[in-house]
PDB file of all heavy atoms in Angstrom:
ATOM      1  N   ASP A  13     102.058 143.251  93.778  1.00 71.00           N
ATOM      2  CA  ASP A  13     101.135 144.379  93.888  1.00 71.00           C
ATOM      3  C   ASP A  13     100.040 144.131  94.923  1.00 71.00           C
ATOM      4  O   ASP A  13      99.141 144.948  95.098  1.00 71.00           O
ATOM      5  CB  ASP A  13     100.491 144.676  92.536  1.00 71.00           C
ATOM      6  CG  ASP A  13      99.753 143.466  91.977  1.00 71.00           C
ATOM      7  OD1 ASP A  13      99.867 142.368  92.580  1.00 71.00           O
ATOM      8  OD2 ASP A  13      99.075 143.613  90.941  1.00 71.00           O
ATOM      9  N   GLY A  14     100.122 142.998  95.632  1.00 68.00           N
ATOM     10  CA  GLY A  14      99.122 142.684  96.640  1.00 68.00           C
ATOM     11  C   GLY A  14      97.922 141.934  96.111  1.00 68.00           C
ATOM     12  O   GLY A  14      97.064 141.503  96.885  1.00 68.00           O
ATOM     13  N   GLY A  15      97.846 141.762  94.783  1.00 71.00           N
ATOM     14  CA  GLY A  15      96.720 141.053  94.194  1.00 71.00           C
ATOM     15  C   GLY A  15      96.847 139.546  94.364  1.00 71.00           C
ATOM     16  O   GLY A  15      97.965 139.009  94.437  1.00 71.00           O
ATOM     17  N   ARG A  16      95.706 138.860  94.445  1.00 70.00           N
ATOM     18  CA  ARG A  16      95.678 137.408  94.609  1.00 70.00           C
ATOM     19  C   ARG A  16      95.439 136.737  93.266  1.00 70.00           C
ATOM     20  O   ARG A  16      94.672 137.214  92.432  1.00 70.00           O
ATOM     21  CB  ARG A  16      94.563 137.005  95.583  1.00 70.00           C
ATOM     22  CG  ARG A  16      94.676 137.610  96.959  1.00 70.00           C
ATOM     23  CD  ARG A  16      95.677 136.877  97.818  1.00 70.00           C
ATOM     24  NE  ARG A  16      95.160 135.582  98.259  1.00 70.00           N
ATOM     25  CZ  ARG A  16      95.867 134.718  98.984  1.00 70.00           C
ATOM     26  NH1 ARG A  16      97.114 135.005  99.325  1.00 70.00           N
ATOM     27  NH2 ARG A  16      95.342 133.578  99.366  1.00 70.00           N
ATOM     28  N   PHE A  17      96.126 135.619  93.043  1.00 64.00           N
ATOM     29  CA  PHE A  17      95.917 134.862  91.817  1.00 64.00           C
ATOM     30  C   PHE A  17      96.065 133.374  92.115  1.00 64.00           C
ATOM     31  O   PHE A  17      96.639 132.971  93.119  1.00 64.00           O
ATOM     32  CB  PHE A  17      96.898 135.303  90.721  1.00 64.00           C
ATOM     33  CG  PHE A  17      98.351 135.068  91.060  1.00 64.00           C
ATOM     34  CD1 PHE A  17      98.997 133.899  90.657  1.00 64.00           C
ATOM     35  CD2 PHE A  17      99.070 136.008  91.786  1.00 64.00           C
ATOM     36  CE1 PHE A  17     100.334 133.680  90.967  1.00 64.00           C
ATOM     37  CE2 PHE A  17     100.406 135.793  92.101  1.00 64.00           C
ATOM     38  CZ  PHE A  17     101.039 134.621  91.688  1.00 64.00           C
ATOM     39  N   ILE A  18      95.499 132.561  91.240  1.00 68.00           N
ATOM     40  CA  ILE A  18      95.492 131.114  91.404  1.00 68.00           C
ATOM     41  C   ILE A  18      96.592 130.501  90.531  1.00 68.00           C
ATOM     42  O   ILE A  18      96.760 130.861  89.372  1.00 68.00           O
ATOM     43  CB  ILE A  18      94.126 130.518  91.022  1.00 68.00           C
ATOM     44  CG1 ILE A  18      93.018 131.117  91.895  1.00 68.00           C
ATOM     45  CG2 ILE A  18      94.143 128.997  91.173  1.00 68.00           C
ATOM     46  CD1 ILE A  18      93.201 130.859  93.378  1.00 68.00           C
ATOM     47  N   LEU A  19      97.338 129.583  91.130  1.00 65.00           N
ATOM     48  CA  LEU A  19      98.440 128.938  90.435  1.00 65.00           C
ATOM     49  C   LEU A  19      98.291 127.423  90.525  1.00 65.00           C
ATOM     50  O   LEU A  19      98.045 126.883  91.601  1.00 65.00           O
ATOM     51  CB  LEU A  19      99.780 129.365  91.061  1.00 65.00           C
ATOM     52  CG  LEU A  19     101.044 128.691  90.516  1.00 65.00           C
ATOM     53  CD1 LEU A  19     101.302 129.126  89.079  1.00 65.00           C
ATOM     54  CD2 LEU A  19     102.247 129.031  91.396  1.00 65.00           C
ATOM     55  N   GLU A  20      98.379 126.754  89.378  1.00 67.00           N
ATOM     56  CA  GLU A  20      98.370 125.294  89.351  1.00 67.00           C
ATOM     57  C   GLU A  20      99.811 124.788  89.351  1.00 67.00           C
ATOM     58  O   GLU A  20     100.621 125.208  88.519  1.00 67.00           O
ATOM     59  CB  GLU A  20      97.630 124.761  88.128  1.00 67.00           C
ATOM     60  CG  GLU A  20      96.127 124.959  88.190  1.00 67.00           C
ATOM     61  CD  GLU A  20      95.415 124.264  87.046  1.00 67.00           C
ATOM     62  OE1 GLU A  20      96.118 123.652  86.214  1.00 67.00           O
ATOM     63  OE2 GLU A  20      94.173 124.334  86.984  1.00 67.00           O
ATOM     64  N   LYS A  21     100.115 123.902  90.281  1.00 67.00           N
ATOM     65  CA  LYS A  21     101.476 123.408  90.417  1.00 67.00           C
ATOM     66  C   LYS A  21     101.494 121.891  90.236  1.00 67.00           C
ATOM     67  O   LYS A  21     100.706 121.166  90.852  1.00 67.00           O
ATOM     68  CB  LYS A  21     102.031 123.770  91.801  1.00 67.00           C
ATOM     69  CG  LYS A  21     103.485 123.341  92.001  1.00 67.00           C
ATOM     70  CD  LYS A  21     103.978 123.764  93.377  1.00 67.00           C
ATOM     71  CE  LYS A  21     105.422 123.324  93.596  1.00 67.00           C
ATOM     72  NZ  LYS A  21     105.905 123.710  94.944  1.00 67.00           N
ATOM     73  N   ASN A  22     102.389 121.413  89.367  1.00 68.00           N
ATOM     74  CA  ASN A  22     102.534 119.977  89.156  1.00 68.00           C
ATOM     75  C   ASN A  22     103.249 119.346  90.349  1.00 68.00           C
ATOM     76  O   ASN A  22     104.255 119.873  90.837  1.00 68.00           O
ATOM     77  CB  ASN A  22     103.321 119.692  87.878  1.00 68.00           C
ATOM     78  CG  ASN A  22     102.571 120.116  86.630  1.00 68.00           C
ATOM     79  OD1 ASN A  22     101.355 120.025  86.586  1.00 68.00           O
ATOM     80  ND2 ASN A  22     103.296 120.597  85.625  1.00 68.00           N
ATOM     81  N   ILE A  23     102.730 118.231  90.830  1.00 69.00           N
ATOM     82  CA  ILE A  23     103.333 117.538  91.955  1.00 69.00           C
ATOM     83  C   ILE A  23     103.373 116.044  91.672  1.00 69.00           C
ATOM     84  O   ILE A  23     102.714 115.556  90.757  1.00 69.00           O
ATOM     85  CB  ILE A  23     102.546 117.776  93.265  1.00 69.00           C
ATOM     86  CG1 ILE A  23     101.102 117.278  93.116  1.00 69.00           C
ATOM     87  CG2 ILE A  23     102.579 119.225  93.681  1.00 69.00           C
ATOM     88  CD1 ILE A  23     100.305 117.321  94.384  1.00 69.00           C
ATOM     89  N   LYS A  24     104.176 115.342  92.420  1.00 71.00           N
ATOM     90  CA  LYS A  24     104.254 113.888  92.330  1.00 71.00           C
ATOM     91  C   LYS A  24     103.530 113.285  93.530  1.00 71.00           C
ATOM     92  O   LYS A  24     103.687 113.758  94.656  1.00 71.00           O
ATOM     93  CB  LYS A  24     105.716 113.429  92.327  1.00 71.00           C
ATOM     94  CG  LYS A  24     106.482 113.761  91.050  1.00 71.00           C
ATOM     95  CD  LYS A  24     106.081 112.826  89.920  1.00 71.00           C
ATOM     96  CE  LYS A  24     106.961 113.063  88.692  1.00 71.00           C
ATOM     97  NZ  LYS A  24     106.615 112.141  87.596  1.00 71.00           N
ATOM     98  N   THR A  25     102.757 112.259  93.271  1.00 78.00           N
ATOM     99  CA  THR A  25     102.051 111.586  94.355  1.00 78.00           C
ATOM    100  C   THR A  25     102.365 110.097  94.336  1.00 78.00           C
ATOM    101  O   THR A  25     102.772 109.541  93.316  1.00 78.00           O
ATOM    102  CB  THR A  25     100.530 111.781  94.231  1.00 78.00           C
ATOM    103  OG1 THR A  25     100.090 111.260  92.964  1.00 78.00           O
ATOM    104  CG2 THR A  25     100.160 113.239  94.330  1.00 78.00           C
ATOM    105  N   ILE A  26     102.168 109.478  95.497  1.00 80.00           N
ATOM    106  CA  ILE A  26     102.378 108.039  95.633  1.00 80.00           C
ATOM    107  C   ILE A  26     101.020 107.376  95.804  1.00 80.00           C
ATOM    108  O   ILE A  26     100.222 107.794  96.639  1.00 80.00           O
ATOM    109  CB  ILE A  26     103.273 107.717  96.843  1.00 80.00           C
ATOM    110  CG1 ILE A  26     104.636 108.392  96.690  1.00 80.00           C
ATOM    111  CG2 ILE A  26     103.439 106.218  97.010  1.00 80.00           C
ATOM    112  CD1 ILE A  26     105.511 108.251  97.908  1.00 80.00           C
ATOM    113  N   GLU A  27     100.778 106.347  95.014  1.00 82.00           N
ATOM    114  CA  GLU A  27      99.514 105.626  95.093  1.00 82.00           C
ATOM    115  C   GLU A  27      99.782 104.190  95.519  1.00 82.00           C
ATOM    116  O   GLU A  27     100.609 103.497  94.918  1.00 82.00           O
ATOM    117  CB  GLU A  27      98.797 105.642  93.741  1.00 82.00           C
ATOM    118  CG  GLU A  27      97.471 104.898  93.757  1.00 82.00           C
ATOM    119  CD  GLU A  27      96.820 104.871  92.389  1.00 82.00           C
ATOM    120  OE1 GLU A  27      96.122 105.857  92.043  1.00 82.00           O
ATOM    121  OE2 GLU A  27      97.011 103.883  91.660  1.00 82.00           O
ATOM    122  N   ILE A  28      99.074 103.756  96.567  1.00 82.00           N
ATOM    123  CA  ILE A  28      99.183 102.369  97.031  1.00 82.00           C
ATOM    124  C   ILE A  28      97.811 101.727  96.881  1.00 82.00           C
ATOM    125  O   ILE A  28      96.836 102.165  97.492  1.00 82.00           O
ATOM    126  CB  ILE A  28      99.635 102.299  98.502  1.00 82.00           C
ATOM    127  CG1 ILE A  28     101.008 102.945  98.661  1.00 82.00           C
ATOM    128  CG2 ILE A  28      99.684 100.851  98.980  1.00 82.00           C
ATOM    129  CD1 ILE A  28     101.503 102.992 100.102  1.00 82.00           C
ATOM    130  N   SER A  29      97.730 100.712  96.053  1.00 82.00           N
ATOM    131  CA  SER A  29      96.459 100.044  95.802  1.00 82.00           C
ATOM    132  C   SER A  29      96.290  98.873  96.766  1.00 82.00           C
ATOM    133  O   SER A  29      97.083  97.930  96.758  1.00 82.00           O
ATOM    134  CB  SER A  29      96.399  99.545  94.350  1.00 82.00           C
ATOM    135  OG  SER A  29      95.215  98.833  94.110  1.00 82.00           O
ATOM    136  N   ILE A  30      95.250  98.960  97.603  1.00 81.00           N
ATOM    137  CA  ILE A  30      95.013  97.875  98.566  1.00 81.00           C
ATOM    138  C   ILE A  30      93.812  97.024  98.179  1.00 81.00           C
ATOM    139  O   ILE A  30      93.459  96.085  98.886  1.00 81.00           O
ATOM    140  CB  ILE A  30      94.790  98.447  99.984  1.00 81.00           C
ATOM    141  CG1 ILE A  30      93.573  99.368 100.012  1.00 81.00           C
ATOM    142  CG2 ILE A  30      96.023  99.173 100.470  1.00 81.00           C
ATOM    143  CD1 ILE A  30      93.218  99.840 101.410  1.00 81.00           C
ATOM    144  N   GLY A  31      93.184  97.326  97.048  1.00 76.00           N
ATOM    145  CA  GLY A  31      92.037  96.554  96.585  1.00 76.00           C
ATOM    146  C   GLY A  31      90.781  97.392  96.571  1.00 76.00           C
ATOM    147  O   GLY A  31      90.663  98.381  97.306  1.00 76.00           O
ATOM    148  N   SER A  32      89.815  96.976  95.745  1.00 71.00           N
ATOM    149  CA  SER A  32      88.586  97.750  95.579  1.00 71.00           C
ATOM    150  C   SER A  32      87.493  97.344  96.546  1.00 71.00           C
ATOM    151  O   SER A  32      86.524  98.071  96.739  1.00 71.00           O
ATOM    152  CB  SER A  32      88.063  97.602  94.142  1.00 71.00           C
ATOM    153  OG  SER A  32      87.851  96.221  93.839  1.00 71.00           O
ATOM    154  N   ASN A  33      87.604  96.177  97.182  1.00 70.00           N
ATOM    155  CA  ASN A  33      86.594  95.738  98.151  1.00 70.00           C
ATOM    156  C   ASN A  33      87.226  94.721  99.092  1.00 70.00           C
ATOM    157  O   ASN A  33      88.413  94.378  98.968  1.00 70.00           O
ATOM    158  CB  ASN A  33      85.366  95.148  97.441  1.00 70.00           C
ATOM    159  CG  ASN A  33      85.759  94.061  96.446  1.00 70.00           C
ATOM    160  OD1 ASN A  33      86.418  93.080  96.805  1.00 70.00           O
ATOM    161  ND2 ASN A  33      85.365  94.239  95.189  1.00 70.00           N
ATOM    162  N   LEU A  34      86.426  94.216 100.033  1.00 63.00           N
ATOM    163  CA  LEU A  34      86.947  93.298 101.044  1.00 63.00           C
ATOM    164  C   LEU A  34      87.463  92.005 100.435  1.00 63.00           C
ATOM    165  O   LEU A  34      88.368  91.364 100.987  1.00 63.00           O
ATOM    166  CB  LEU A  34      85.844  92.986 102.075  1.00 63.00           C
ATOM    167  CG  LEU A  34      85.437  94.142 102.996  1.00 63.00           C
ATOM    168  CD1 LEU A  34      84.264  93.731 103.870  1.00 63.00           C
ATOM    169  CD2 LEU A  34      86.607  94.594 103.852  1.00 63.00           C
ATOM    170  N   GLN A  35      86.911  91.604  99.289  1.00 71.00           N
ATOM    171  CA  GLN A  35      87.326  90.343  98.672  1.00 71.00           C
ATOM    172  C   GLN A  35      88.652  90.464  97.933  1.00 71.00           C
ATOM    173  O   GLN A  35      89.312  89.458  97.675  1.00 71.00           O
ATOM    174  CB  GLN A  35      86.240  89.846  97.698  1.00 71.00           C
ATOM    175  CG  GLN A  35      84.999  89.261  98.374  1.00 71.00           C
ATOM    176  CD  GLN A  35      84.149  90.316  99.056  1.00 71.00           C
ATOM    177  OE1 GLN A  35      84.004  91.426  98.549  1.00 71.00           O
ATOM    178  NE2 GLN A  35      83.594  89.985 100.214  1.00 71.00           N
ATOM    179  N   THR A  36      89.043  91.697  97.579  1.00 76.00           N
ATOM    180  CA  THR A  36      90.258  91.876  96.777  1.00 76.00           C
ATOM    181  C   THR A  36      91.370  92.597  97.537  1.00 76.00           C
ATOM    182  O   THR A  36      92.314  93.084  96.923  1.00 76.00           O
ATOM    183  CB  THR A  36      89.932  92.667  95.494  1.00 76.00           C
ATOM    184  OG1 THR A  36      89.434  93.965  95.854  1.00 76.00           O
ATOM    185  CG2 THR A  36      88.890  91.939  94.650  1.00 76.00           C
ATOM    186  N   ILE A  37      91.277  92.672  98.858  1.00 79.00           N
ATOM    187  CA  ILE A  37      92.289  93.381  99.639  1.00 79.00           C
ATOM    188  C   ILE A  37      93.636  92.667  99.537  1.00 79.00           C
ATOM    189  O   ILE A  37      93.727  91.450  99.708  1.00 79.00           O
ATOM    190  CB  ILE A  37      91.874  93.487 101.118  1.00 79.00           C
ATOM    191  CG1 ILE A  37      90.754  94.513 101.268  1.00 79.00           C
ATOM    192  CG2 ILE A  37      93.053  93.891 101.995  1.00 79.00           C
ATOM    193  CD1 ILE A  37      90.286  94.705 102.688  1.00 79.00           C
ATOM    194  N   ASN A  38      94.673  93.439  99.235  1.00 79.00           N
ATOM    195  CA  ASN A  38      96.035  92.930  99.257  1.00 79.00           C
ATOM    196  C   ASN A  38      96.627  93.288 100.617  1.00 79.00           C
ATOM    197  O   ASN A  38      96.917  94.448 100.898  1.00 79.00           O
ATOM    198  CB  ASN A  38      96.865  93.558  98.128  1.00 79.00           C
ATOM    199  CG  ASN A  38      98.252  92.957  98.042  1.00 79.00           C
ATOM    200  OD1 ASN A  38      99.056  93.077  98.963  1.00 79.00           O
ATOM    201  ND2 ASN A  38      98.539  92.304  96.930  1.00 79.00           N
ATOM    202  N   PHE A  39      96.799  92.290 101.474  1.00 82.00           N
ATOM    203  CA  PHE A  39      97.187  92.554 102.855  1.00 82.00           C
ATOM    204  C   PHE A  39      98.639  92.997 102.995  1.00 82.00           C
ATOM    205  O   PHE A  39      98.992  93.663 103.963  1.00 82.00           O
ATOM    206  CB  PHE A  39      96.911  91.317 103.714  1.00 82.00           C
ATOM    207  CG  PHE A  39      95.448  91.071 103.933  1.00 82.00           C
ATOM    208  CD1 PHE A  39      94.753  90.174 103.134  1.00 82.00           C
ATOM    209  CD2 PHE A  39      94.755  91.768 104.905  1.00 82.00           C
ATOM    210  CE1 PHE A  39      93.389  89.962 103.324  1.00 82.00           C
ATOM    211  CE2 PHE A  39      93.392  91.566 105.111  1.00 82.00           C
ATOM    212  CZ  PHE A  39      92.712  90.658 104.307  1.00 82.00           C
ATOM    213  N   ASP A  40      99.491  92.653 102.021  1.00 82.00           N
ATOM    214  CA  ASP A  40     100.868  93.164 102.054  1.00 82.00           C
ATOM    215  C   ASP A  40     100.872  94.677 101.846  1.00 82.00           C
ATOM    216  O   ASP A  40     101.586  95.408 102.538  1.00 82.00           O
ATOM    217  CB  ASP A  40     101.706  92.475 100.970  1.00 82.00           C
ATOM    218  CG  ASP A  40     101.982  91.014 101.302  1.00 82.00           C
ATOM    219  OD1 ASP A  40     101.908  90.667 102.490  1.00 82.00           O
ATOM    220  OD2 ASP A  40     102.273  90.240 100.370  1.00 82.00           O
ATOM    221  N   ALA A  41     100.076  95.131 100.870  1.00 82.00           N
ATOM    222  CA  ALA A  41      99.984  96.575 100.611  1.00 82.00           C
ATOM    223  C   ALA A  41      99.313  97.276 101.778  1.00 82.00           C
ATOM    224  O   ALA A  41      99.694  98.392 102.152  1.00 82.00           O
ATOM    225  CB  ALA A  41      99.204  96.829  99.322  1.00 82.00           C
TER     226      ALA A  41
END
C-alpha cells in the first residue's frame, strides 16, 4: 500500500577476538 514499516531480521555474524588491550593482543587472530 506504499506505507513504510520497520522489520527486525535475524542474521548471523562472525566475531574475531583480538584482545581487549595492547597487552592481550592475539597476533594470530
Side-chain angles (χ1 to χ4, degrees):
D13 58 353
R16 301 280 286 177
F17 62 94
I18 301 300
L19 175 68
E20 289 187 359
K21 183 179 179 181
N22 293 326
I23 60 173
K24 289 285 186 178
T25 59
I26 300 173
E27 180 183 276
I28 299 177
S29 177
I30 61 174
S32 57
N33 52 56
L34 291 175
Q35 286 71 37
T36 61
I37 287 181
N38 185 296
F39 289 97
D40 289 338

